[in-house]
Amino acid sequence: MLAELEELGMQLARATAARALAELAEPDPAEELAEEPLQNLAAEPRPEAAQAATPGRTASRSSGTPRKSDPVTSFIRLAKAVCELIALEAGLAAGPATTKSGLVSPALRADPRRERLLQAFREVTETTQDKYALRAGFTTRLDQELTADPEKILGLPEIFYPLCQEFGIELDVRKLPDDIIGMDPWDYENDPYCMDPPTPRATPPP
């Protein structure tokens, strides 16, 4: 039901945005009214005719149509409603990974992998269509994976790559940071090979 509401909200938002852009493209009525007195200056009616026409104009103004809603304001409200629906859907899907108020549980907040993985996914989806919906779904699935791994056995690549494949994200390894790829910084000071490197020696010919 939430997914259907989101789709209906997006349809309304698209239609409202199109109406708002069409109205913004129209010329300003104030400019047309400013040119009209100059054109009709020579054909100004007699005072008697102007007085006779005054009641009609007053009646037409008083019996005008109701004010139309501003399409820009309507679009902003629709966009906000769709974002709230997406957040609600993500919170319901997260289940026990979040608290009843929708906030992240203390255990997940303390997990250092969470923020690093979220940041990496934001970077790879920066130019992706519907990136906000993808990020909401990724956050939900990430919280589920981290909740199922309280001992922190899984590394960043073991979580990141399967989730990206699940959401159909094609990764460019050249743009990923080393810790996400799985190439942790090398500790040269404590590496026994670097501390005591072998001495190359020439071997006698056979």
Side-chain angles (χ1 to χ4, degrees):
M1 292 174 64
L2 285 175
E4 185 177 358
L5 286 174
E6 291 169 9
E7 181 61 29
L8 291 174
M10 286 303 303
Q11 293 179 10
L12 290 173
R14 293 188 186 99
T16 307
R19 185 162 61 92
L21 293 174
E23 291 189 8
L24 290 175
E26 295 178 357
D28 191 358
E31 298 178 359
E32 298 179 355
L33 293 177
E35 297 177 357
E36 184 177 355
L38 298 177
Q39 298 175 356
N40 300 332
L41 185 61
E44 185 176 357
R46 295 191 302 275
E48 295 81 2
Q51 292 179 359
T54 301
R57 290 201 302 269
T58 305
S60 63
R61 290 179 181 177
S62 61
S63 61
T65 58
R67 292 174 53 188
K68 298 187 342 182
S69 61
D70 183 14
V72 177
T73 304
S74 300
F75 171 77
I76 294 174
R77 292 175 178 173
L78 286 169
K80 182 179 178 181
V82 171
C83 291
E84 290 176 352
L85 286 172
I86 294 174
L88 177 59
E89 184 180 16
L92 291 176
T98 55
T99 60
K100 292 182 179 180
S101 59
L103 301 176
V104 179
S105 64
L108 284 176
R109 190 179 298 276
D111 194 331
R113 300 173 297 176
R114 185 176 189 272
E115 183 58 34
R116 188 68 191 93
L117 290 169
L118 289 176
Q119 179 183 358
F121 193 77
R122 285 194 295 266
E123 293 174 356
V124 300
T125 57
E126 187 61 35
T127 59
T128 305
Q129 188 178 8
D130 298 334
K131 58 183 178 181
Y132 297 109
L134 285 173
R135 290 171 181 176
F138 180 85
T139 302
T140 300
R141 289 288 294 113
L142 175 62
D143 289 345
Q144 294 174 355
E145 294 294 328
L146 295 179
T147 302
D149 184 32
E151 302 296 332
K152 300 180 177 60
I153 298 176
L154 297 177
L156 299 181
E158 296 171 310
I159 301 175
F160 189 73
Y161 285 102
L163 289 182
C164 288
Q165 185 178 6
E166 180 180 331
F167 285 92
I169 302 298
E170 296 182 1
L171 298 175
D172 187 355
V173 181
R174 297 172 298 177
K175 299 181 181 180
L176 293 177
D178 292 342
D179 55 348
I180 298 297
I181 296 176
M183 300 175 57
D184 297 330
W186 195 268
D187 189 1
Y188 292 96
E189 296 181 357
N190 298 322
D191 186 1
Y193 187 86
C194 296
M195 295 172 63
D196 187 15
T199 303
R201 296 179 182 177
T203 58

